[in-house]
Amino acid sequence: MKKLKDYLIFPLDVPSEKEARRYIEVLSDHVGIFKVGLELFIKAGPEIVKYITEAKGSKVFLDLKLHDIPETVFRSMKIISDLNVTYATVHCGESADMLQAAVEGSNGKVGVLGVTILTSVTADDLTSSGFKEEFTADMTELVLKRAAIAKKSGCTGIVCSGLEVKNIKESLGRDFITITPGIRPEWEIAVKDDQKRVATPASAIKDGSDHLVIGRPIRDAKDPKEAACKIIEEISKAL
Ligand code: C5P
């Protein structure tokens, strides 16, 4: 059965294995999945993944956000599939072929998640990068379109904003996993950073999010364990 802590993913956005181990030690009773992203993976490589899964018995979300030609994505995901991770990511915005290559490479051993549109991106960002306004006026539509391609390509789910979860679940079904970053607890909602399409833990959970990625509000808190517990409490109330 899914435990409360399984709703919470903590990104180990730290520059060293030593710091990562410190957060794992403090948070492993309150966090279901640790996310290893580019910063830590570049520094500590597959060894840190092994440490989390084998020595600590926790789950890993390997968030390398692959984005390359299908052959390279296939070969990279094939290697990822031997790391015993629960989820791994690939960008959705390029082609169905790239997504299918990721799924094929995963060989059924890792849940492939499509990154739809980063939560740090706004409609204006997309327009200035060359998208016609008719495609960016409604970000949810574009996220939905990408999510549908990810599902058709065999992905386990997607990464999207908490603002989009409801629509995705309604059109693609409850079993299609949604992971939502850009989550800000009530006490942090006024803090301005690079995240733009933000939601609170309660609203993302009520809308059906399967896992919340919450980093800085925990990592930078005076007491990270206390912050994680407060978030778990909010999740519990929303459920
Ligand atoms: O909560 P916070 O903003 O600190 O979370 C940052 C983390 O969320 C980073 O690890 C980043 O890679 C991840 N992220 C993501 N997908 C997005 C936006 C952020 O995986 N769309």
Side-chain angles (χ1 to χ4, degrees):
M1 210 183 94
K2 195 169 178 180
K3 295 188 196 131
L4 266 180
K5 73 170 189 173
D6 295 330
Y7 286 91
L8 185 56
I9 297 179
F10 178 70
L12 289 161
D13 292 330
V14 291
S16 71
E17 185 166 344
K18 191 173 162 213
E19 269 190 80
R21 284 181 184 233
R22 194 166 59 81
Y23 279 105
I24 294 163
E25 210 52 60
V26 171
L27 294 171
S28 56
D29 286 344
H30 311 281
V31 164
I33 304 177
F34 287 99
K35 183 167 93 73
V36 175
L38 286 173
E39 182 184 6
L40 184 62
F41 198 73
I42 289 168
K43 183 72 182 177
E47 282 309 308
I48 188 71
V49 172
K50 216 168 158 192
Y51 171 76
I52 300 169
T53 55
E54 291 180 10
K56 303 308 290 183
S58 287
K59 289 183 178 171
V60 169
F61 167 14
L62 187 60
D63 186 24
L64 301 181
K65 297 189 176 77
L66 303 182
H67 190 167
D68 213 315
I69 59 169
E71 173 72 2
T72 303
V73 167
F74 168 77
R75 294 173 70 91
S76 307
M77 197 56 91
K78 209 162 161 232
I79 293 180
I80 289 173
S81 76
D82 285 331
L83 295 180
N84 194 22
V85 300
T86 303
Y87 297 120
T89 42
V90 55
H91 269 288
C92 279
E94 205 68 50
S95 69
D97 283 353
M98 197 174 88
L99 293 166
Q100 282 158 17
V103 172
E104 224 178 288
S106 76
N107 210 7
K109 292 193 278 183
V110 45
V112 175
L113 304 172
V115 178
T116 54
I117 302 177
L118 294 170
T119 46
S120 54
V121 169
T122 63
D124 283 347
D125 293 326
L126 290 179
T127 315
S128 38
S129 72
F131 278 78
K132 281 191 176 160
E133 236 176 282
E134 61 186 285
F135 296 113
T136 63
D138 186 348
M139 296 276 275
T140 303
E141 269 306 306
L142 187 55
V143 168
L144 253 176
K145 197 171 185 164
R146 290 184 179 181
I149 297 169
K151 186 168 182 195
K152 208 167 162 210
S153 303
C155 290
T156 301
I158 46 133
V159 181
C160 64
S161 139
L163 307 173
E164 292 129 16
V165 170
K166 202 162 179 242
N167 281 290
I168 285 165
K169 290 288 186 183
E170 276 167 12
S171 49
L172 300 176
R174 270 228 59 85
D175 292 343
F176 191 57
I177 300 286
T178 53
I179 294 196
T180 52
I183 300 293
R184 290 294 175 260
E186 294 290 356
W187 78 86
E188 283 256 335
I189 208 84
V191 177
K192 293 276 169 262
D193 55 32
D194 58 347
Q195 297 284 21
K196 298 293 186 307
R197 303 194 330 280
V198 299
T200 62
S203 70
I205 289 289
K206 279 183 197 151
D207 284 350
S209 175
D210 296 283
H211 305 282
L212 314 179
V213 177
I214 309 184
R216 283 164 284 187
I218 296 174
R219 185 196 66 189
D220 300 340
K222 240 195 201 149
D223 183 342
K225 190 169 164 174
E226 190 192 17
C229 289
K230 266 167 79 181
I231 289 163
I232 293 283
E233 214 180 292
E234 191 175 334
I235 292 171
S236 166
K237 276 191 200 148
L239 286 167

